[in-house]
Amino acid sequence: RWIRTRMPKKQPMRVIAVAASKGGVGKSTLTAALAVRAAQDGRRVGLIDMDPQLSLQRWHSRRKHADSPVLFEDVDSSAEAIELIAAEGWEYLFLDTPPSQVDRIGSVIACSDYVLIPTRAGVMDIEAVRMTEELCVEFRKPSAFMLNMVAPNAKVTADMARHLRTGGRVLLEPFIAYRQSHSNAMFQGKTAGELR
């Protein structure tokens, strides 16, 4: 009798947007770190830099590591472009977004499976990224906040963390402390974890 062996189903590509409507909250640094970590775990990882400042592209051009994620240049965030990348067998695609450009941020969120929203621990910072949260609700995309570049033991950090946990929001931990090494690493085409 014949035994039919079933091949394991191929997992769909996971599209993760790092989005915030405010600049200077560490989107590009966080996107690079997450993509490198996934690549170090042996995953096929792609990156798209949607920010006109092209911070990720400049970082990627300085990077000389074998386990680097692949940067797709001149690619928009349309569903068609993402489907073409997924068809090539990529496991993760990380999308870095620009600040302030609501339409562009919205198009990235619409094509994503999950959205990470980095913010600093200040009232004005959290107010400014509320629009990103609203876009996630509009497009029905799961999201989580990340407190980035914080003073770990400061009262304002604890206060903002408490605020972000209200209303059913997800706040990831641990919080990311401000370190000059994060900026230094990006300038060298690395992530802070690779400087150790």
Side-chain angles (χ1 to χ4, degrees):
R1 149 179 140 178
W2 292 95
I3 298 173
R4 179 179 294 175
T5 58
R6 296 183 67 184
M7 295 295 290
K9 274 190 173 179
K10 186 178 171 187
Q11 292 294 321
M13 180 176 73
R14 293 174 180 88
V15 181
I16 301 168
V18 180
S21 44
K22 185 178 187 304
V25 295
K27 292 186 297 292
S28 298
T29 303
L30 182 60
T31 305
L34 291 170
V36 165
R37 182 66 219 168
Q40 288 172 341
D41 286 344
R43 307 294 188 181
R44 292 193 72 209
V45 182
L47 284 168
I48 296 178
D49 188 355
M50 298 300 298
D51 191 338
Q53 295 180 24
L54 302 178
S55 301
L56 270 185
Q57 285 194 30
R58 290 195 304 274
W59 165 80
H60 195 268
S61 69
R62 292 188 290 265
R63 189 166 174 79
K64 308 294 183 207
H65 293 263
D67 58 1
S68 293
V70 171
L71 178 74
F72 294 98
E73 296 186 46
D74 302 319
V75 177
D76 63 25
S77 65
S78 67
E80 293 83 9
I82 289 173
E83 283 175 18
L84 287 172
I85 293 169
E88 295 177 359
W90 296 91
E91 296 174 82
Y92 287 93
L93 182 64
F94 289 90
L95 306 172
D96 186 22
T97 60
S100 305
Q101 299 181 19
V102 179
D103 291 343
R104 192 170 238 190
I105 295 169
S107 69
V108 170
I109 288 173
C111 295
S112 299
D113 298 312
Y114 200 82
V115 182
L116 296 175
I117 308 172
T119 182
R120 292 183 174 208
V123 174
M124 300 302 283
D125 294 282
I126 290 172
E127 288 293 325
V129 295
R130 184 166 291 170
M131 188 258 317
T132 308
E133 180 183 28
E134 290 169 359
L135 286 169
C136 292
V137 171
E138 178 184 339
F139 291 110
R140 299 179 181 178
K141 300 297 180 175
S143 64
F145 281 91
M146 298 184 72
L147 280 174
N148 197 15
M149 297 186 275
V150 300
N153 299 318
K155 183 179 184 306
V156 69
T157 301
D159 291 345
M160 291 302 105
R162 199 164 26 256
H163 171 72
L164 284 172
R165 288 189 185 104
T166 63
R169 295 183 185 102
V170 175
L171 175 62
L172 300 180
E173 294 186 42
F175 308 146
I176 303 170
Y178 174 79
R179 291 190 181 96
Q180 186 61 40
S181 60
H182 291 279
S183 297
N184 294 344
M186 291 295 283
F187 185 72
Q188 297 174 40
K190 298 180 180 181
T191 63
E194 294 173 310
L195 293 180
R196 296 176 189 156

